[in-house]
Amino acid sequence: MNKRHVIELSPSGKSFEAGDELLLEAMLASGLAVPFSCRRGACGSCKVVVAEGAYRAKRLAPGAPQPSYPLAANEMLLCQSHACGDMRLHIPGWSLDTPALVVAAQVHSKRALGPDVIELVLMPETPVAVRAGQYLKFHLADGDTRCFSIANLPDEDDGRLVFQIRRVSGGYFSEGILGGLAVGERLHVEGPFGACTWQDDEAAPVVLFATGTGYAGIKPILLTALKRDADVTLYWGGAQSADFYDSAFLDHLMLEHPRFRWHPVRSSEGRVQEVAMSHGHQWEQAQVYACGNGAMLGQVRIHCLEAGLPSHRFIAEAFVASGRSSAGAVSLSFDPVWEKVGPRYSLDGMLAAREKSIRALAAIASQLKVGMTTGEALEMAARQLQAMGASHTWHPTYIRFGADTVRPPREGIDRQRRLRANDIAVVDLGPVWDGYEGDYGDTFVFGDGPLHQACTTALHEVFDETRQAWLRGLTGRELYDFAEQSAASKGWRLARNLAGHRLADFPHALFESKELADLEIPPSEMAWVLEIQLCHPTEPVGGFFEDMLMLQG
Ligand SMILES: Cc1cc2nc3c(=O)[nH]c(=O)nc-3n(C[C@H](O)[C@H](O)[C@H](O)COP(=O)(O)OP(=O)(O)OC[C@H]3O[C@@H](n4cnc5c(N)ncnc54)[C@H](O)[C@@H]3O)c2cc1C
Ligand code: FES
């Protein structure tokens, strides 16, 4: 008889039953949200910590590859294991409530912070797990939403969510609804979203920029930064004194934290970036966060990078109009069969995951050093992803040097291969950020080998031409036929076994696992990753680039 065991998930206390089936299958069947992706023990998405109970490994068919994901002694893969009795498991970085993102919240209080800014405090009916710097979407009666940053650390505030909302002239929410909201009234909010979040770099001095209510996004990052012993400086831009509506609190913080300074910058007197540049920060080591109007963000970025800030250490959120009807909003219509998405799917989430993956790739590439082994590079990449807040990877990180760049991802590589002074390296990341899948990979040349340079040039040309072809309405299959011809015309071979795939709110494996190269319809924007791997026809030199299919501004 198939004996059923009770599997408890701590700390939630939720449980499901499992018998002879794999634990992953039992958990999926129970309807609980499960992190998973490859189902063959390679990606590590389904890794859990075993707090109690015995289990046995899945029996593999003769000749089948062993699960390759490395585990600590107390860890287990749900997709590779059966329970032998009752168990207690913990899934690090995963909330079982993840897909139920819309929560009801009551108005707790409301007060004016200045002539144009209202503080709205909500008490959610279920706690919202938030990372410093994230925002929520307010659901409106007409089905539209508005984004507002969480201006506090809810964990340290009895779960309350604080918002600082500027009245926008003609604003449906800020001028219309907000004024009439009474204490006790119920709203629905969705989230959290956003990649402009605390990066947890213990050592770096932190420089913060805000304009107007951009301060709402920066304040929780400031509060988090002040918990460490490092320099923290805030530049807050506004038109008049009343715009610095939290100045008394900030003055008080300066007294409490000798390594904190803040500078109100009136627009009549200068720009935040100009004042910051005159203060002689150590930009090479700094971590910069900026929230507010887009023009300020652009200028701050240019100035900071020119002053020596590494590009991946600049993190920003633009406080633009956030209603669906606002210019720039994208309406998506996905194919109901091949392009299913989960309940969390949102453009913001997908864009934030992409942006964060790009930053992670830059950070990892900047730490690749000549002489390093592939194994050392993979360990460095895992540390970097973890430090940036990736909860999982939905596929393992692939790093390949030299001759390994022509191998397909699943093929084994030489972990002892060292990066040479004249070399080519591929990095392919698949992190999960705040419940959204990121996927970004690129190729990097070390030294000035002409064939290496030619490879990356051809790679990006093939990618760009194929993306242009997508805009003409080609199907997934036609796109890869096109890419093959484009590669051949440049003297390179397209490796068709890397054939593009879906991307969504994690785990997309729950919805669809078809490859882009097999898709007989034109792929929609923001649902597919176009992967291009080129190999030289005779030399062991290859390159790889991938990105989400999307219109580029
Ligand atoms: C990630 C994110 C976080 C945000 N956090 C905050 C926050 O914490 N506090 C806050 O006050 N705002 C924040 N915003 C901006 C806020 O979401 C928008 O201003 C929102 O559209 C206001 O809604 P509304 O219904 O009052 O105005 P709407 O009805 O959306 O807009 C009315 C008119 O004003 C224009 N408009 C609205 N907002 C802006 C803007 N910011 N810039 C230029 N034109 C605009 C619209 O295009 C429209 O013509 C954030 C935006 C984003 C994207
Ligand atoms: S290791 Fe289990 S889903 Fe990938």
Side-chain angles (χ1 to χ4, degrees):
M1 189 185 136
N2 183 359
K3 188 167 174 356
R4 308 297 289 168
H5 311 296
V6 178
I7 315 298
E8 187 190 316
L9 298 158
S10 64
S12 71
K14 289 191 180 165
S15 61
F16 65 97
E17 285 194 359
D20 284 344
E21 71 273 47
L22 288 166
L23 279 158
L24 176 63
E25 286 163 6
M27 193 167 165
L28 280 171
S30 74
L32 287 170
V34 197
F36 77 101
S37 185
C38 71
R39 293 184 188 242
R40 54 189 166 79
C43 72
S45 296
C46 67
K47 179 179 76 178
V48 297
V49 173
V50 180
E52 255 176 63
Y55 63 95
R56 65 184 164 82
K58 172 184 171 183
R59 192 166 297 136
L60 296 173
Q66 292 289 328
S68 54
Y69 191 85
L71 292 170
N74 63 345
E75 291 172 345
M76 174 191 85
L77 296 175
L78 290 170
C79 73
Q80 299 295 310
S81 315
H82 305 270
C84 300
D86 294 350
M87 299 186 77
R88 194 155 56 81
L89 306 177
H90 171 58
I91 312 183
W94 180 253
S95 160
L96 290 171
D97 298 322
T98 303
L101 273 177
V102 179
V103 297
Q106 287 196 2
V107 176
H108 177 274
S109 62
K110 203 177 73 173
R111 65 177 175 130
L113 295 175
D116 281 340
V117 181
I118 302 281
E119 179 192 76
L120 175 69
V121 182
L122 300 182
M123 178 55 91
E125 290 176 7
T126 43
V128 181
V130 174
R131 292 226 313 252
Q134 290 193 297
Y135 64 93
L136 292 178
K137 287 183 183 178
F138 282 50
H139 282 212
L140 307 180
D142 63 358
D144 206 349
T145 56
R146 296 290 187 275
C147 302
F148 295 106
S149 297
I150 302 159
N152 66 329
L153 298 173
D155 272 358
E156 299 175 10
D157 227 352
D158 295 329
R160 278 187 287 270
L161 302 165
V162 176
F163 301 90
Q164 298 168 351
I165 300 176
R166 173 172 299 279
R167 185 169 51 79
V168 175
S169 170
Y172 179 71
F173 181 80
S174 62
E175 208 171 55
I177 296 170
L178 183 61
L181 280 180
V183 170
E185 215 165 311
R186 244 167 137 238
L187 297 172
H188 284 90
V189 289
E190 181 184 357
F193 300 103
C196 180
T197 55
W198 173 246
Q199 298 299 305
D200 203 17
D201 187 332
E202 285 296 323
V206 171
V207 185
L208 307 165
F209 292 91
T211 48
T213 46
Y215 173 74
I218 287 296
K219 185 173 178 180
I221 293 176
L222 165 64
L223 296 175
T224 310
L226 289 176
K227 292 180 183 168
R228 308 164 321 145
D229 186 25
D231 292 335
V232 182
T233 313
L234 165 67
Y235 298 92
W236 188 3
Q240 51 194 341
S241 319
D243 288 339
F244 308 113
Y245 51 80
D246 214 16
S247 56
F249 174 77
L250 291 170
D251 290 343
H252 179 72
L253 271 192
M254 280 210 296
L255 297 176
E256 270 187 2
H257 298 270
R259 299 186 71 176
F260 169 58
R261 285 277 164 278
W262 86 280
H263 304 274
V265 182
R266 277 183 203 84
S267 46
S268 55
E269 293 164 3
R271 298 284 177 263
V272 281
Q273 64 275 11
E274 293 160 1
V275 178
M277 290 303 134
S278 71
H279 285 173
H281 292 284
Q282 292 176 306
W283 295 105
E284 293 82 2
Q285 277 99 50
Q287 174 71 54
V288 172
Y289 301 85
C291 276
N293 80 59
M296 177 277 281
L297 300 184
Q299 284 303 311
V300 168
R301 185 170 192 278
I302 291 170
H303 278 77
C304 290
L305 297 199
E306 275 175 7
L309 181 79
S311 60
H312 66 276
R313 287 180 166 274
F314 178 83
I315 295 174
E317 191 89 76
F319 277 22
V320 291
S322 54
R324 198 192 304 143
S325 50
S326 307
V330 187
S331 76
L332 296 171
S333 56
F334 290 134
D335 183 89
V337 177
W338 304 118
E339 298 180 334
K340 285 189 203 126
V341 296
R344 291 171 52 102
Y345 185 94
S346 84
L347 286 186
D348 298 312
M350 295 303 290
L351 287 173
R354 173 179 180 267
E355 194 187 311
K356 205 154 180 184
S357 304
I358 293 173
R359 278 209 312 272
L361 188 83
I364 289 166
S366 71
Q367 295 172 68
L368 289 176
K369 298 280 177 280
V370 170
M372 192 179 228
T373 65
T374 308
E376 288 164 350
L378 286 166
E379 282 160 24
M380 172 274 288
R383 282 195 301 274
Q384 180 65 40
L385 289 176
Q386 201 181 22
M388 289 180 71
S391 60
H392 298 75
T393 53
W394 71 269
H395 74 62
T397 299
Y398 299 113
I399 298 185
R400 279 141 170 47
F401 298 154
D404 281 338
T405 54
V406 296
R407 292 182 193 273
R410 286 182 198 173
E411 206 172 282
I413 44 137
D414 178 2
R415 284 179 70 92
Q416 296 310 316
R417 185 187 289 278
R418 289 189 187 277
L419 184 63
R420 294 164 303 158
N422 256 310
D423 214 338
I424 188 160
V426 165
V427 182
D428 176 5
L429 307 178
V432 180
W433 311 106
D434 301 315
Y436 292 92
E437 295 172 339
D439 199 15
Y440 200 73
D442 205 351
T443 301
F444 303 89
V445 171
F446 291 76
D448 52 7
L451 197 56
H452 297 156
Q453 302 286 356
C455 179
T456 55
T457 304
L459 177 67
H460 287 273
E461 284 175 0
V462 172
F463 185 92
D464 289 345
E465 288 170 15
T466 309
R467 194 164 56 81
Q468 282 301 115
W470 166 66
L471 295 174
R472 299 198 296 272
L474 267 57
T475 67
R477 189 182 294 280
E478 288 165 346
L479 279 182
Y480 275 86
D481 292 344
F482 177 94
E484 194 162 22
Q485 285 169 19
S486 165
S489 72
K490 298 173 189 9
W492 294 81
R493 179 174 62 79
L494 181 80
R496 280 199 75 142
N497 52 353
L498 265 177
H501 55 80
R502 280 297 316 281
L503 212 57
D505 41 337
F506 179 70
H508 80 257
L510 203 53
F511 317 123
E512 185 46 55
S513 56
K514 195 178 186 69
E515 293 190 327
L516 178 57
D518 292 334
L519 188 72
E520 299 291 5
I521 57 167
S524 298
E525 185 184 12
M526 310 275 279
W528 295 90
V529 168
L530 176 65
E531 297 175 306
I532 299 291
Q533 185 184 13
L534 296 189
C535 298
H536 192 269
T538 53
E539 298 298 320
V541 173
F544 173 75
F545 182 72
E546 67 177 341
D547 195 2
M548 187 157 64
L549 275 175
M550 57 184 279
L551 304 170
Q552 312 248 305

